[in-house]
Amino acid sequence: MDLTGTNWRKSSHSASNGGNCVELADAAGVVAVRDSKDPNGPILLLTRAALRSAVRSTPTTR
């Protein structure tokens, strides 16, 4: 999937100190997820339901 020109946005759950930075983007019916510190690295493609399930099942440690 070509994600050139994709509008990435930083997750509100990312830490403000520069760590744990996750970016999300809408991409052809799925949500693309990447590490903002490695924008050319691997990208996860998840359905909205799968992302919602992952976020709800992950404990927060702030």
Side-chain angles (χ1 to χ4, degrees):
M1 174 179 289
D2 183 12
L3 297 174
T4 305
T6 299
N7 183 28
W8 293 92
R9 60 194 181 277
K10 190 174 178 180
S11 169
S12 62
H13 291 279
S14 292
S16 59
N17 64 1
N20 300 326
C21 297
V22 174
E23 292 181 321
L24 307 170
D26 289 320
V30 296
V31 179
V33 182
R34 72 179 183 184
D35 181 345
S36 65
K37 295 179 299 303
D38 188 12
N40 296 315
I43 296 172
L44 261 152
L45 299 176
L46 303 167
T47 64
R48 290 185 184 281
L51 179 60
R52 190 171 28 255
S53 177
V55 170
R56 287 181 178 162
S57 67
T58 305
T60 58
T61 55
R62 287 190 180 195

